[in-house]
Amino acid sequence: MFNSLSDRLTATFKNLKGKGRLTEADVDATVREIRRALLDADVAVPVVREFTAAVKERALGLEVSEALNPGQQVVKIVNEELQNILGGQTRRIRMAKSGPTIIMLAGLQGAGKTTLAGKLGKWLKGQGHRPLLVASDLQRPNAVTQLKVVGERAGVPVFAPHPGTTSEFDDPTGDPVQVARDGVAQARARLHDVVIVDTAGRLGIDEALMAQARDIRDAVQPDEVLFVIDAMVGQDAVNTAQAFNEGVDFTGVVLSKLDGDARGGAALSVASVTGKPIMFASTGENVDDFEQFHPDRMASRILD
Ligand code: GDP
């Protein structure tokens, strides 16, 4: 992911780095190249516009620095602005002050929510937490079984309704909102300190899905609502993110499938367009293919 964007930006800066003086024409030419590279990588147009305007303004206002020549300073500016559109600082999970920390996952079907539940669970367990996964995706055939498999791989217990009718907590409804509530109740009873609630996705955004996600959110009052977006989906990422932002007012973004070879720019736009930080990245199908997202490191990686 981001390889071609990275190559393009690196090529743009190659000529610039040795320059002792930058003319306005140099800055214009560079900004034009950056704009093209970002648009070709699928970065959303308003994000590109804002980004290039910020870079241009700062590049034209450069003071002479003893440490860096103007070309290097422009690269530094681009790095900082890239970090900005990716959300600025690393954003960690907000842990509840008392009771279990509740993390709800939302996103379209196939985005990677269920897989993420296992990854996040294992990662939190590695940090000394006692997570519980809760299967509130009762739409998709096999989603509950899939979460159980994922939980087993991650070594994290799963709260799920029994197939057909009842849940382990004696809830016969098969109602995802009730399952979420019961899951949290069980977490309290068994002293889990983190609850990860997997929810249903649909192939496209629909109001029923959004209403269900909202009902689950309102029932369990999560500390974090993580919106999971498949980084391979291209331009649609921004529309989907906006719909979920309005629908469930998520608190953070997880980019999944960053191991793919898509251009990835749309995913890079999500934080900027929604104003919500990217918190984690999923980088493969295995339970360990997961990392905390650091905007500064990602910016440097892209400009490397
Ligand atoms: P959900 O419908 O949102 O719960 O999505 P799933 O967790 O079931 O994931 C959908 C598919 O994407 C599965 O085949 C996963 O193995 C795959 N998947 C999930 N995350 C990643 C990832 O980071 N990289 C890759 N390559 N595949 C992933």
Side-chain angles (χ1 to χ4, degrees):
M1 190 71 65
F2 312 130
N3 286 346
S4 93
L5 174 63
S6 180
D7 290 348
R8 289 276 296 275
L9 291 177
T10 312
T12 304
F13 296 139
K14 213 165 162 194
N15 300 325
L16 206 64
K17 277 193 176 153
K19 289 223 177 200
R21 263 194 75 238
L22 281 190
T23 62
E24 193 165 342
D26 289 329
V27 171
D28 278 342
T30 305
V31 169
R32 221 173 11 251
E33 278 300 309
I34 295 172
R35 178 182 296 128
R36 274 196 214 117
L38 294 174
L39 288 173
D40 286 349
D42 258 354
V43 177
V45 172
V47 178
V48 174
R49 202 175 292 138
E50 203 178 307
F51 181 85
T52 48
V55 170
K56 184 167 178 180
E57 191 187 323
R58 289 182 60 189
L60 290 176
L62 276 178
E63 302 282 334
V64 178
S65 148
E66 282 179 18
L68 298 175
N69 70 35
Q72 288 166 327
Q73 287 186 59
V74 173
V75 177
K76 185 162 170 282
I77 290 169
V78 171
N79 186 314
E80 287 166 5
E81 293 298 330
L82 201 51
Q83 188 181 329
N84 271 343
I85 64 165
L86 294 174
Q89 303 295 321
T90 303
R91 192 9 194 97
R92 292 170 207 289
I93 292 177
R94 280 189 299 239
M95 290 292 176
K97 292 203 178 68
S98 65
T101 298
I102 300 170
I103 302 170
M104 172 179 153
L105 309 181
L108 293 181
Q109 183 172 320
K113 290 181 297 301
T114 306
T115 314
L116 175 76
K119 293 173 173 180
L120 191 56
K122 184 167 183 198
W123 183 77
L124 286 163
K125 192 177 162 185
Q127 297 188 351
H129 293 286
R130 289 192 70 233
L132 176 70
L133 310 184
V134 174
S136 277
D137 176 357
L138 307 184
Q139 292 294 330
R140 190 160 53 93
N142 281 333
V144 172
T145 315
Q146 191 195 341
L147 191 70
K148 285 182 178 165
V149 171
V150 158
E152 207 156 292
R153 274 194 204 131
V156 175
V158 175
F159 176 86
H162 286 307
T165 51
T166 60
S167 84
E168 283 178 359
F169 227 61
D170 288 323
D171 167 42
T173 59
D175 165 9
V177 179
Q178 194 56 41
V179 171
R181 267 198 209 103
D182 289 349
V184 172
Q186 184 175 87
R188 284 186 205 284
R190 298 194 183 166
L191 302 180
H192 290 282
D193 63 345
V194 184
V195 185
I196 300 169
V197 183
D198 189 20
T199 67
R202 300 275 162 85
L203 289 176
I205 297 155
D206 78 37
E207 201 26 58
L209 154 77
M210 214 54 94
Q212 184 187 88
R214 246 191 326 264
D215 288 346
I216 294 175
R217 182 197 65 187
D218 294 346
V220 301
Q221 306 264 318
D223 300 280
E224 299 280 7
V225 179
L226 300 184
F227 166 66
V228 185
I229 181 83
D230 176 345
M232 306 279 283
V233 298
Q235 289 291 350
D236 269 354
V238 170
N239 296 335
T240 308
Q242 276 171 325
F244 273 89
N245 198 27
E246 283 162 25
V248 295
D249 193 19
F250 55 78
T251 59
V253 178
V254 179
L255 299 183
S256 75
K257 310 192 192 178
L258 275 195
D259 51 311
D261 57 5
R263 292 170 289 186
L268 293 186
S269 315
V270 164
S272 180
V273 167
T274 62
K276 305 286 170 71
I278 303 171
M279 293 173 62
F280 296 101
S282 244
T283 55
E285 299 199 65
N286 294 321
V287 73
D288 293 314
D289 297 333
F290 170 79
E291 54 195 59
Q292 195 154 28
F293 188 86
H294 301 286
D296 53 343
R297 287 188 213 163
M298 182 53 85
S300 300
R301 218 157 91 189
I302 291 172
L303 296 179
D304 196 8

